[in-house]
Amino acid sequence: MQMLQLKHLFKSYHVGDTVTHALDDVSISFRDKEFVTILGPSGSGKTTMLNVIGGLDRYDKGDLIINGKSTKNFKETDWDAYRNNSVGFIFQNYNLISHLSIIANVELGMTLSGVSSKERHEKAIKALTEVGLKDHMHKQPNQLSGGQMQRVAIARAIANDPDILLCDEPTGALDTETSVQIMELIKELSKNRLVIMVTHNPDLAKKYATRIVNFQDGKILNDSNPFKTEAEKDTFNLKRTKMSYWNAIKLSFTNIMTKKARTILTAFASSIGIISIAVVLSLSNGFQKQIDTTMSKALAKYPVAITPTATDMTSMQTRKESDKNVKNRGYVIAKQDESEEATHNNKITQAYVDYVKKINPNYANNIAYQRTTNLNLLGLTNGKAEKVQFSTADPDSNQSIAQMRSQAMSSMGIGSSVFPTTLDKDKGNFLKQNYQILSGAWPTKATDLVVVADNKNTVNINALKNLGFDVKKNSKIDFNKLIGKKFSVVSNNDYYQELPTGMFVPKKATNSMYNSGKKIKIVGVIRPKNEDSMQLLSSGIAYSDKLSQDIIDQNKNSTIVKAQRKTKRNVMTGQNMNATEKKQMMQTIGGSSIPTGIMIYPNNFDSKDKVLDYLDKWNKGKAKKNQIVYTDMSSAVTTMTGGLLNGITTVLVAFAAISLITSMIMIGILTYTSVLERTKEIGVLKALGARKRDITRVFDAETFILGIFAGVLGVGIGYLLTFPINSVIYKLTDLANVAQLNPTHALILIIISTILTLLGGHIPARMAAKKDAVIALRSE
Ligand code: ADP
Ligand code: MG
């Protein structure tokens, strides 16, 4: 059966104006088993013919018939498969891949065609045994002599058991003795395959070959044993080659390992972008966490306040109106002040109070109610009863109690001397959570009072004076003077006296009046728990809402309340009142249990939103005037700082990203250098049947490894940097562990690094794949 047939083949090279006819109408047929040598002067076209036969190079004209099949319509992949399955190449300069071990070099062709590693290994060992190098298989190419290297090349060529062995001056670089050994080996191999060998040693040719072809100027001069063509029958059948990604990665990995220092330096340089982004992210991450915890600590305790009047932000919109023709209108418009227009009067009803009371204690466990209800208080000074009050207003100024109270109330909630009611006792107590005891005990009963000091243990002087203490500026008061101090809350009926005119006036304080009242007592002195925690209660006396409620219960049917209920006229001053004024009056004398203000204390920062949702639900579907507008002071602060940090982070990350682009370009350059360096390897891979895609894959794999390495290195260094950064920040600000690398960010950065380096290296990888195998192999 006939193997190979060349029919009128032409191949010429055009360089400038000169045309070289490397193959000039070559027609020859080969038997499937013979040892053919091709003799001829240098430049006569021998190598060109061998490359064309082996499918490394393309002919211009004519036809090459393989196993009866014309190759005129061969596609690139057909040639690849042909080289990989049927052809083995042996070159003068061995063309071993220096970074692969002997055995790996021999396995390479099979690696490309996706042969399993076990089978590959077995075949490679068999081939190495055949060439007599079994004992050297784990050596590197540079540890072998020239003859040994050529044997390895032969082993690589025959490992896949090809039908055709093409040898281009295999003994050209060897001494006579070694040349003879190699010739013996090739002679042995020609027993069961076609061997075509180019040589310029006629003696060796005559001694070993079964057929000698003389070549000159691209033409066959004579043929010692021509082969007559028989009828052609197409028996061509080839398996497609395919290299797996994994093999590409392994191949590139061994290559990378041969230039460790360079790889590490490159990876480090390209990881700088990743490092800077990692540091920026971990800092911003940490600062955000820091801000969040500080904020939630500081701001969670800010109550959501429902005050008699609130500013409705939604109505604070300025309407734009065309200024045109305004001056010609001939009238002016009465305009309400914008802030006044935005002022919303909250009509707190019993239904609303009940609604607020039903708030989930998991979100807000403490609610404080503000009431303007007068406590008709008496104290004993030196055994004599006198009127006192729980107030921080200056007792010497000439204001009515009601006036003072409403002033204190309207100055934005915080500063109520009524401590919040705890909804669920198991979930902690407001006082204990935010205050510490300086002396005495926590209040347990409605009749227990506490003195509230601030962070510096000071108490408002007016509050003390109003309680009947004779104090001067900066005088020191012993705890035991405060604790145990009793007051009497007198009922309206005992406190007020109805005049014949139907008007009511407070009676003079007497000891019997004192004795008739309900006794309340200071049980402790407290101050805020932390130095930096906010003062939630105003300095002075604090008491429970239960006390107010009890007093309202006691007084709601008192004579003065009953009388006031019936008339629009103020029963104390005689003035006529509007509806609001009457309501206020009723609240003052204990005729109404509806509080003037409510403070809801969210349990933590997150549950505040839930509280707001709950309050918003009340307003849904209600007319504007019946809605209750709350004030959330903490929200403005948080959104502001959060936005600021996000802005800074974005800018910094953008800057850091520039260095990522730099690394990408660097990887591109590195891959390009690698391509130039590995030109020969690309040629060898092609000679062994590698597809363009396989070559791309090998280089992509290399950049892939580099990318992951750079990413991991960058993230690792970034992580390590957080330690010194944190210690510096700690020294400067006392904030511990600010920089924290989020694991998700770390992973994303590694992925980004890998993708970017892949992109950067892909173009050079494509260039490598396009390299002409023949030129690649001729380069040296
Ligand atoms: P041999 O192997 O017999 O020494 P070659 O086949 O290498 O000869 O070369 C045949 C002719 O083709 C020579 O004249 C050579 O200069 C020319 N040639 C080979 N490759 C190229 C090329 N890539 N470009 C231009 N000329 C080439
Ligand atoms: Mg040559």
Side-chain angles (χ1 to χ4, degrees):
M1 197 207 83
Q2 160 251 325
M3 275 291 314
L4 267 180
Q5 190 183 7
L6 283 67
K7 275 179 159 180
H8 306 289
L9 277 187
F10 289 86
K11 166 87 181 172
S12 48
Y13 293 104
H14 301 258
V15 178
D17 288 336
T18 40
V19 181
T20 314
H21 298 284
L23 295 182
D24 195 2
D25 195 7
V26 174
S27 294
I28 187 169
S29 296
F30 298 102
R31 298 173 183 85
D32 58 353
K33 284 185 186 91
E34 64 177 334
F35 191 169
V36 187
T37 54
I38 298 178
L39 285 171
S42 183
S44 56
K46 307 181 295 291
T47 299
T48 306
M49 187 173 83
L50 222 53
N51 287 343
V52 166
I53 291 174
L56 266 182
D57 212 350
R58 301 289 165 269
Y59 50 83
D60 298 337
K61 223 169 83 182
D63 198 0
L64 171 69
I65 310 227
I66 305 165
N67 283 347
K69 187 178 179 73
S70 163
T71 57
K72 269 183 181 162
N73 298 319
F74 256 36
K75 288 197 262 323
E76 203 59 48
T77 48
D78 294 316
W79 286 116
D80 294 337
Y82 166 61
R83 283 197 310 276
N84 189 264
N85 287 279
S86 313
V87 186
F89 274 100
I90 300 167
F91 308 94
Q92 180 180 346
N93 49 14
Y94 331 126
N95 278 337
L96 297 182
I97 294 171
S98 56
H99 61 79
L100 295 179
S101 70
I102 303 305
I103 182 102
N105 263 286
V106 177
E107 284 182 21
L108 195 56
M110 293 177 284
T111 307
L112 288 169
S113 51
V115 176
S116 79
S117 74
K118 190 168 165 275
E119 189 186 340
R120 222 158 62 202
H121 207 66
E122 280 166 6
K123 283 191 172 178
I125 290 174
K126 190 170 157 263
L128 281 170
T129 316
E130 241 173 293
V131 301
L133 277 181
K134 189 170 180 282
D135 300 338
H136 301 268
M137 66 183 194
H138 293 300
K139 284 188 181 165
Q140 292 297 120
N142 58 12
Q143 293 168 321
L144 299 181
S145 71
Q148 284 172 321
M149 282 201 268
Q150 194 58 291
R151 281 168 194 269
V152 175
I154 293 171
R156 180 175 64 187
I158 61 167
N160 214 10
D161 199 20
D163 300 323
I164 309 164
L165 196 59
L166 302 173
C167 320
D168 198 352
E169 303 188 34
T171 60
L174 302 174
D175 56 59
T176 326
E177 197 185 330
T178 321
S179 294
V180 168
Q181 289 168 3
I182 295 292
M183 287 308 287
E184 293 282 355
L185 182 59
I186 294 175
K187 168 111 193 146
E188 191 61 31
L189 295 173
S190 71
K191 280 182 182 157
N192 39 28
R193 56 173 62 81
L194 167 63
V195 173
I196 304 172
M197 184 178 94
V198 171
T199 180
H200 44 228
N201 189 334
D203 298 337
L204 284 181
K206 269 175 205 125
K207 190 168 174 210
Y208 292 99
T210 56
R211 179 179 174 189
I212 296 172
V213 175
N214 273 299
F215 222 76
Q216 197 162 19
D217 294 333
K219 289 187 174 70
I220 292 170
L221 274 188
N222 64 60
D223 186 342
S224 70
N225 185 11
F227 176 51
K228 266 266 165 255
T229 322
E230 289 161 16
E232 295 161 13
K233 205 171 123 211
D234 185 352
T235 57
F236 187 83
N237 181 25
L238 287 176
K239 200 178 93 217
R240 291 276 176 275
T241 64
K242 191 173 167 33
M243 178 161 70
S244 67
Y245 281 106
W246 179 234
N247 279 326
I249 287 175
K250 279 204 285 195
L251 201 62
S252 302
F253 188 73
T254 48
N255 174 49
I256 282 177
M257 291 310 282
T258 58
K259 37 187 185 188
K260 286 193 194 84
R262 187 167 86 184
T263 308
I264 289 171
L265 274 180
T266 319
F268 177 65
S270 46
S271 70
I272 287 171
I274 297 287
I275 295 174
S276 34
I277 295 182
V279 168
V280 169
L281 284 180
S282 39
L283 272 178
S284 99
N285 188 26
F287 271 124
Q288 188 63 61
K289 266 191 193 160
Q290 234 10 285
I291 287 174
D292 285 352
T293 46
T294 317
M295 287 249 181
S296 48
K297 248 198 228 154
L299 298 180
K301 300 302 177 186
Y302 263 109
V304 176
I306 295 140
T307 46
T309 56
T311 306
D312 186 359
M313 293 301 177
T314 55
S315 65
M316 282 275 264
Q317 304 150 334
T318 41
R319 263 147 298 171
K320 274 256 188 276
E321 209 181 317
S322 162
D323 290 324
K324 266 187 217 159
N325 303 326
V326 164
K327 61 182 174 191
N328 300 328
R329 272 180 189 163
Y331 57 83
V332 292
I333 302 162
K335 186 173 173 286
Q336 199 179 22
D337 186 72
E338 258 162 32
S339 64
E340 200 178 317
E341 203 170 342
T343 302
H344 179 89
N345 285 314
N346 280 328
K347 291 192 191 115
I348 301 172
T349 59
Q350 190 57 48
Y352 189 70
V353 174
D354 293 342
Y355 180 75
V356 168
K357 274 183 184 156
K358 272 186 270 168
I359 207 162
N360 188 338
N362 290 326
Y363 302 143
N365 200 23
N366 296 293
I367 299 172
Y369 301 94
Q370 292 183 329
R371 302 177 193 280
T372 47
T373 311
N374 265 346
L375 303 181
N376 307 322
L377 278 179
L378 296 189
L380 282 181
T381 314
N382 304 324
K384 205 172 155 281
E386 64 170 31
K387 291 183 183 173
V388 297
Q389 15 170 308
F390 296 158
S391 165
T392 55
D394 183 356
D396 297 331
S397 82
N398 225 352
Q399 287 178 316
S400 78
I401 297 167
Q403 261 179 325
M404 285 192 289
R405 281 197 175 263
S406 57
Q407 242 173 34
M409 291 295 130
S410 59
S411 65
M412 226 349 266
I414 312 154
S416 155
S417 351
V418 177
F419 52 75
T421 310
T422 301
L423 293 177
D424 186 340
K425 290 275 184 299
D426 299 336
K427 293 206 164 63
N429 174 293
F430 178 86
L431 279 186
K432 287 182 187 168
Q433 275 168 356
N434 298 290
Y435 283 84
Q436 61 188 64
I437 285 197
L438 287 174
S439 181
W442 294 111
T444 51
K445 300 192 290 285
T447 54
D448 288 347
L449 309 172
V450 282
V451 172
V452 182
D454 67 8
N455 291 329
K456 296 183 178 68
N457 280 23
T458 66
V459 177
N460 185 299
I461 188 166
N462 294 336
L464 293 169
K465 281 183 183 170
N466 287 335
L467 287 175
F469 288 100
D470 183 20
V471 286
K472 289 188 187 64
K473 219 166 82 180
N474 294 335
S475 57
K476 295 168 186 153
I477 303 121
D478 271 351
F479 291 136
N480 56 29
K481 263 196 172 169
L482 297 169
I483 293 165
K485 173 94 177 169
K486 276 188 190 150
F487 304 97
S488 175
V489 188
V490 182
S491 73
N492 277 354
N493 285 348
D494 291 337
Y495 194 80
Y496 292 103
Q497 140 182 44
E498 191 176 3
L499 299 176
T501 54
M503 302 292 281
F504 288 80
V505 288
K507 289 182 194 162
K508 245 177 73 78
T510 60
N511 280 26
S512 68
M513 192 198 268
Y514 178 90
N515 291 333
S516 72
K518 181 192 188 85
K519 302 296 175 303
I520 57 177
K521 189 173 80 175
I522 296 177
V523 296
V525 182
I526 62 175
R527 57 162 282 163
K529 208 170 203 167
N530 304 314
E531 291 304 318
D532 54 350
S533 64
M534 246 179 21
Q535 262 171 274
L536 299 164
L537 301 175
S538 66
S539 167
I541 287 282
Y543 56 97
S544 70
D545 187 54
K546 183 76 169 54
L547 181 64
S548 313
Q549 296 233 347
D550 288 352
I551 285 153
I552 290 164
D553 280 349
Q554 191 183 34
N555 289 335
K556 67 182 175 215
N557 290 318
S558 62
T559 325
I560 183 173
V561 169
K562 276 183 184 160
Q564 186 62 75
R565 207 168 273 147
K566 279 186 230 145
T567 173
K568 269 187 181 174
R569 210 160 57 104
N570 187 314
V571 293
M572 289 178 76
T573 63
Q575 284 166 334
N576 273 325
M577 300 180 292
N578 62 26
T580 319
E581 285 165 340
K582 180 173 173 181
K583 201 173 123 197
Q584 280 171 1
M585 178 60 183
M586 287 301 277
Q587 282 170 333
T588 307
I589 57 176
S592 165
S593 65
I594 293 167
T596 50
I598 305 174
M599 304 279 146
I600 303 166
Y601 295 85
N603 292 357
N604 53 50
F605 206 61
D606 296 329
S607 56
K608 198 191 69 195
D609 287 338
K610 295 278 191 330
V611 171
L612 299 186
D613 284 348
Y614 185 76
L615 296 180
D616 286 338
K617 220 166 84 190
W618 170 267
N619 289 337
K620 211 165 263 170
K622 287 200 170 59
K624 184 109 192 155
K625 65 175 172 57
N626 292 327
Q627 289 185 351
I628 304 284
V629 176
Y630 54 78
T631 313
D632 170 23
M633 286 172 56
S634 58
S635 70
V637 192
T638 27
T639 45
M640 200 186 73
T641 54
L644 197 68
L645 191 71
N646 280 346
I648 294 172
T649 309
T650 313
V651 170
L652 289 180
V653 167
F655 271 114
I658 293 172
S659 47
L660 261 189
I661 305 292
T662 318
S663 358
M664 192 173 143
I665 293 167
M666 236 170 46
I667 294 277
I669 294 169
L670 183 92
T671 314
Y672 182 67
T673 334
S674 186
V675 167
L676 292 183
E677 264 179 8
R678 294 168 76 184
T679 305
K680 198 181 80 177
E681 187 181 330
I682 295 166
V684 174
L685 285 171
K686 285 221 167 149
L688 288 168
R691 303 169 303 165
K692 271 186 186 160
R693 262 167 147 185
D694 298 329
I695 308 277
T696 316
R697 231 173 242 192
V698 169
F699 284 91
D700 277 347
E702 188 170 317
T703 47
F704 176 73
I705 296 169
L706 248 173
I708 288 190
F709 185 46
V712 172
L713 193 70
V715 165
I717 294 176
Y719 173 71
L720 289 179
L721 278 177
T722 59
F723 293 99
I725 287 173
N726 278 338
S727 83
V728 169
I729 291 176
Y730 184 70
K731 284 208 183 96
L732 293 178
T733 66
D734 241 22
L735 295 174
N737 289 324
V738 170
Q740 284 175 21
L741 186 59
N742 181 333
T744 322
H745 286 166
L747 193 71
I748 290 173
L749 283 177
I750 292 174
I751 292 171
I752 287 178
S753 158
T754 312
I755 291 175
L756 283 186
T757 40
L758 260 182
L759 286 179
H762 190 66
I763 294 165
R766 289 285 294 273
M767 284 164 55
K770 282 207 188 105
K771 263 192 184 292
D772 192 328
V774 180
I775 295 172
L777 283 171
R778 279 182 200 260
S779 79
E780 190 66 15

